[in-house]
Amino acid sequence: MSSVKNNSIIRSKRISAAEQYRAAFERLKNNKPERLPKGTLVSQNNVAKEAGSDPSALKKTRFPLLIAEIQMYVESYSKGQQPSGRQLNLLARKKNRGLRERIGEIKQQRDHLASLLSEADATIIELYDRIAELERQLPATNVLLIDPRGDRKL
């Protein structure tokens, strides 16, 4: 049994990393992954995971053609698909964040305008008090008020 394990290890060592990534890419395209659950979307990270390596190992500098193929495949199939639940969540969070920021700005405007209004009210009250004080300081007059309708005789 140990010889079978050793043979499989030797065989897996003979396969280059590029071939492992390409095989993993094909398995994901055909929806027959070995390490990831079925229905896993094709992405650069998922290809690396399916190949059994760290996602940071699949670099554009080492495998430029494979990365280009993966990106073209993802672009061609992502146009017809609905956004995933995570993508919808991220979009909703972004929208909500923008709305919360807008609400904060509107609250600041409201508070600023309320303070301006209360200052204007205080100024108006001060001016009414000043008018009343100045009217009290006026000298008494002997002018009689005339009835605006006048004295009508028939």
Side-chain angles (χ1 to χ4, degrees):
M1 178 125 178
S2 64
S3 66
V4 172
K5 273 188 178 178
N6 288 339
N7 288 341
S8 65
I9 292 172
I10 292 170
R11 279 190 215 136
S12 66
K13 287 183 180 179
R14 289 181 187 162
I15 298 175
S16 70
E19 292 170 349
Q20 287 178 351
Y21 289 132
R22 182 150 314 275
F25 178 47
E26 292 301 323
R27 287 193 304 268
L28 285 174
K29 283 194 324 189
N30 296 329
N31 198 20
K32 296 179 182 177
E34 294 174 357
R35 292 185 172 103
L36 297 174
K38 283 193 176 205
T40 302
L41 297 176
V42 177
S43 70
Q44 189 173 331
N45 286 346
N46 287 341
V47 168
K49 289 176 186 176
E50 176 63 22
S53 67
D54 188 64
S56 63
L58 183 57
K59 296 182 179 184
K60 192 172 188 173
T61 55
R62 289 188 65 202
F63 309 102
L65 295 176
L66 179 62
I67 299 295
E69 284 181 45
I70 293 170
Q71 289 174 348
M72 285 179 13
Y73 181 84
V74 168
E75 284 179 19
S76 66
Y77 282 93
S78 66
K79 291 178 184 174
Q81 292 180 348
Q82 296 291 329
S84 68
R86 183 174 187 282
Q87 289 172 332
L88 291 174
N89 252 353
L90 291 174
L91 290 173
R93 283 184 195 169
K94 185 177 179 181
K95 180 181 176 186
N96 288 341
R97 186 177 307 119
L99 291 174
R100 280 193 298 272
E101 289 173 358
R102 181 70 180 131
I103 288 171
E105 291 171 2
I106 291 172
K107 283 181 179 180
Q108 286 180 341
Q109 289 177 358
R110 177 202 60 198
D111 294 344
H112 177 69
L113 293 174
S115 70
L116 289 177
L117 181 62
S118 64
E119 287 178 18
D121 285 342
T123 304
I124 290 171
I125 291 172
E126 287 176 13
L127 291 174
Y128 274 131
D129 291 344
R130 180 74 177 140
I131 289 171
E133 180 185 327
L134 290 173
E135 284 177 347
R136 282 192 298 272
Q137 292 177 358
L138 284 175
T141 178
N142 58 358
V143 175
L144 297 174
L145 295 176
I146 302 174
D147 187 11
R149 292 177 290 181
D151 199 20
R152 294 184 187 175
K153 292 183 184 177
L154 292 173

